[in-house]
C-alpha cells in the first residue's frame, strides 16, 4: 500500500516536471507563434475560432507580438519561482510583478500608451523584497564566511539564562552580546521573519492552486 502511494506521488511528480520541461522547451516557438497565425482580410487573427483584434496597436500582429513577449518570460519566471530552492528566490517576484503589471496595463488602461506608469507600481514590491533578500544575504554571509551563527548564539544565551546565570556572571564576550542585540533589533525593525513567512506562503499557495509539489 505504501509503495503504491509512493509510486503515485512519483508518477505525479514526473508528470508535472515533464509538463514544465515541455513548456520551457517550446517557449521559443510560442514566442514566434504570432507570425504563423491565420489573419483575415481585416488583419484580425483567428485562434481556435476566436477573433482577436489589434486592441489599439498598429496591427493585430504587433499586439500578439507584444503579448508573447510578456507571457513567455512571465510563465518561465513563475516556473522558476515555484521550483527554486535558492536563498534569493524571493527576488524573482520583482520581474514577475513587472511583466504582470505590463500585461494588466495593456488590457485595462484607458489611454493608448503602454509601459509608462507601471514601473511605479513595482516600488512597494521592491521596498519589501530587496531589503528582505539583502538581510538574508547578510545572515548567510555572517554564518558561512564569518562563522557567526546568531541563532546558535541566542540559543546559548537562553540556555545560560535558564540555568540561572546572570549577565554579570556569564563569560560572554562583547562581540557575542552585540551580535545578539543586532539580531533582535533587525528582527524588530525590519520584521524579516514575518516577510519571509509571507513570501513563502505566496509560493506555497501558488503551488497549491496548481497542485505542484517539488
Amino acid at each position: 500500500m505504501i509503495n503504491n502511494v509512493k509510486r503515485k506521488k512519483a508518477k505525479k511528480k514526473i508528470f508535472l516536471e515533464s509538463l514544465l520541461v515541455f513548456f520551457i522547451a517550446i517557449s521559443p516557438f510560442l514566442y514566434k507563434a504570432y507570425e504563423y497565425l491565420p489573419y483575415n482580410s481585416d488583419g484580425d487573427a483567428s485562434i481556435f475560432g476566436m477573433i482577436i483584434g489589434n486592441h489599439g496597436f498598429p496591427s493585430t500582429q504587433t499586439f500578439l507580438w507584444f503579448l508573447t513577449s510578456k507571457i513567455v518570460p512571465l510563465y518561465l519566471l513563475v516556473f522558476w519561482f515555484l521550483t527554486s530552492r535558492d536563498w534569493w528566490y524571493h527576488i524573482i517576484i520583482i520581474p514577475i510583478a513587472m511583466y504582470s503589471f505590463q500585461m494588466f496595463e495593456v488590457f485595462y488602461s484607458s489611454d493608448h500608451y503602454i509601459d509608462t506608469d507601471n514601473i511605479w507600481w513595482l516600488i512597494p514590491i521592491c521596498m519589501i523584497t530587496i531589503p528582505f533578500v539583502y538581510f538574508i544575504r547578510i545572515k548567510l554571509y555572517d554564518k558561512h564566511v564569518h562563522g557567526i551563527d546568531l541563532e546558535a548564539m541566542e540559543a546559548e544565551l537562553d540556555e545560560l539564562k535558564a540555568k540561572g546565570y546572570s549577565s554579570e556572571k556569564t563569560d560572554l564576550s562583547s562581540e557575542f552580546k552585540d551580535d545578539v542585540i543586532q539580531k533582535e533589533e533587525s528582527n524588530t525593525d525590519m520584521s524579516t521573519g514575518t516577510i519571509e513567512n509571507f513570501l513563502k506562503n505566496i509560493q506555497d499557495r501558488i503551488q497549491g492552486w496548481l497542485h505542484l509539489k517539488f
Side-chain angles (χ1 to χ4, degrees):
M1 185 66 179
I2 297 178
N3 291 333
N4 290 335
V5 174
K6 290 183 177 180
R7 279 196 291 267
K8 289 182 179 179
K9 289 183 177 180
K11 184 178 180 180
K12 181 180 179 182
K13 183 175 184 291
I14 293 174
F15 172 77
L16 292 174
E17 290 178 346
S18 300
L19 199 62
L20 294 181
V21 170
F22 172 74
F23 278 103
I24 294 173
I26 67 171
S27 58
F29 304 99
L30 290 179
Y31 180 79
K32 302 292 288 186
Y34 67 92
E35 294 185 355
Y36 306 100
L37 293 175
Y39 295 89
N40 57 26
S41 58
D42 296 328
D44 297 335
S46 177
I47 303 177
F48 301 113
M50 297 184 299
I51 303 299
I52 300 177
N54 59 8
H55 288 263
F57 284 76
S59 66
T60 302
Q61 193 174 53
T62 304
F63 170 65
L64 293 176
W65 163 80
F66 180 84
L67 284 185
T68 55
S69 67
K70 306 301 179 184
I71 293 174
V72 172
L74 177 60
Y75 82 71
L76 291 177
L77 286 167
V78 170
F79 289 169
W80 190 9
F81 175 77
L82 292 176
T83 58
S84 177
R85 289 296 177 266
D86 295 310
W87 63 267
W88 46 264
Y89 80 96
H90 304 91
I91 208 70
I92 305 175
I93 293 176
I94 294 178
I96 288 176
M98 179 187 70
Y99 283 110
S100 300
F101 290 152
Q102 288 173 350
M103 293 183 61
F104 176 84
E105 188 179 14
V106 170
F107 289 109
Y108 295 99
S109 178
S110 58
D111 55 34
H112 298 287
Y113 300 94
I114 59 174
D115 288 352
T116 54
D117 297 330
N118 54 63
I119 188 65
W120 302 110
W121 304 344
L122 289 174
I123 293 179
I125 296 176
C126 293
M127 291 175 63
I128 294 175
T129 56
I130 292 176
F132 172 68
V133 173
Y134 178 73
F135 280 113
I136 290 180
R137 187 259 183 194
I138 292 177
K139 187 175 180 180
L140 291 174
Y141 195 86
D142 287 342
K143 181 176 181 179
H144 297 289
V145 178
H146 294 154
I148 302 174
D149 191 344
L150 297 180
E151 292 182 356
M153 291 180 178
E154 187 175 18
E156 184 178 351
L157 180 60
D158 292 338
E159 183 179 355
L160 291 173
K161 290 180 179 179
K163 291 180 179 179
Y165 291 97
S166 64
S167 58
E168 292 80 12
K169 294 180 180 180
T170 56
D171 191 23
L172 299 175
S173 65
S174 59
E175 181 181 0
F176 177 89
K177 295 179 181 178
D178 292 339
D179 287 333
V180 173
I181 294 174
Q182 181 181 4
K183 179 179 183 300
E184 293 176 351
E185 291 177 349
S186 175
N187 287 338
T188 302
D189 296 338
M190 302 305 300
S191 299
T192 55
T194 302
I195 298 174
E196 181 178 8
N197 292 333
F198 173 73
L199 295 175
K200 181 63 177 175
N201 287 336
I202 291 178
Q203 186 188 41
D204 293 340
R205 184 168 298 180
I206 296 176
Q207 289 180 346
W209 288 342
L210 300 178
H211 304 288
L212 297 175
K213 294 294 181 182
F214 298 95

